[in-house]
Amino acid sequence: MTAALILSGGSGVRLGADIPKQYIEVNDRPVISYCIERLSCHEEIHAIQIVAANEWQEAIGGWLEIYDINRKFRGFSLPGENRQLSICHGLADIREYADDSDIVLIHDAARPLLSERMITECVRAMEGHDGVMPVLPMKDTVYRSTDGKTVSELLERTQIYAGQAPEAFRIGLYYEANQRLCPDKIRQINGSTEPAVMAGMDVAMIPGDEGNIKITTKSDLERFRRLAAEQVRSRCDQ
């Protein structure tokens, strides 16, 4: 079994919008609906769990009626103090209906351009591994600065990668890795894969998708609007 955990508890303050970015409408539908539909339609996803604040759960429920085409939604989980604690809440709820040997696929609601191929490759790459993370190679020269003002050293960019979502993990091992960091160290975690690496889990890297953008800024949102509009035009031309 593979359960998808959609993280939709963020406030999106960096975007400067009146509502969280994942609920902004693009092409007359909320951003979160795009990944819900993609996950619901994928044959290797068997359940969907969504982390969302109480005040948005009713609205999401209405969208699920439209976009959860295969009715895979299993429940809501409440957000935590940070992203990783939200993941912990979702994991605890998923373990109520999934086995520890099953897979959890963690995805951000603010990444609406999730492709069928990316889901497939993440799930299938789990064979023989504890986790999988899509990555993109660094194209630019990368430097480290200890004070944020001057260059301290040049880093070897061939050894540095940018991580993407979705990330996949064995539920039991990943849950235990997170629990070892509670209650304090978990609040310092910035990336989903970090607890797995700290716990010594075997996490494989697979090629990411440059089109799988995360909406963080206004320019990201406008880029998604353009891409979504192009997709609509492409379907209409067929």
Side-chain angles (χ1 to χ4, degrees), residues 3-15:
L5 178 60
I6 299 176
L7 302 178
S8 190
S11 60
V13 293
R14 281 179 286 181
L15 192 69

Side-chain angles (χ1 to χ4, degrees), residues 43-135:
E43 62 181 11
E44 295 192 53
I45 299 299
H46 308 102
I48 295 174
Q49 187 81 22
I50 301 178
V51 175
N54 280 323
E55 60 266 30
W56 283 101
Q57 291 181 10
E58 183 177 354
I60 295 172
W63 299 326
L64 285 164
E65 288 297 316
I66 303 171
Y67 300 108
D68 181 10
I69 296 168
N70 291 305
R71 298 294 176 259
K72 296 180 179 181
F73 176 68
R74 298 295 292 269
F76 288 109
S77 300
L78 292 176
E81 294 177 33
N82 68 352
R83 185 177 187 275
Q84 202 61 34
L85 281 167
S86 292
I87 290 174
C88 289
H89 291 177
L91 285 173
D93 291 334
I94 288 172
R95 292 178 80 232
E96 294 293 322
Y97 55 82
D99 295 332
D100 280 349
S101 59
D102 289 336
I103 298 169
V104 60
L105 188 83
I106 301 172
H107 192 65
D108 297 300
R111 284 188 185 269
L113 294 176
L114 175 62
S115 68
E116 179 181 1
R117 178 188 65 81
M118 193 80 269
I119 299 170
T120 300
E121 292 184 359
C122 280
V123 174
R124 294 184 180 176
M126 281 294 297
E127 183 69 31
H129 297 286
D130 302 327
V132 168
M133 178 175 64
V135 300

Side-chain angles (χ1 to χ4, degrees), residues 137-152:
M138 298 300 295
K139 296 180 179 180
D140 298 319
T141 304
V142 183
Y143 298 90
R144 186 175 73 88
S145 173
T146 57
D147 60 8
K149 299 177 181 179
T150 58
V151 175
S152 301

Side-chain angles (χ1 to χ4, degrees), residues 200-215:
M201 291 173 59
D202 171 25
V203 180
M205 297 193 308
I206 62 172
D209 177 1
E210 291 192 358
N212 182 21
I213 63 171
K214 183 177 182 181
I215 299 174

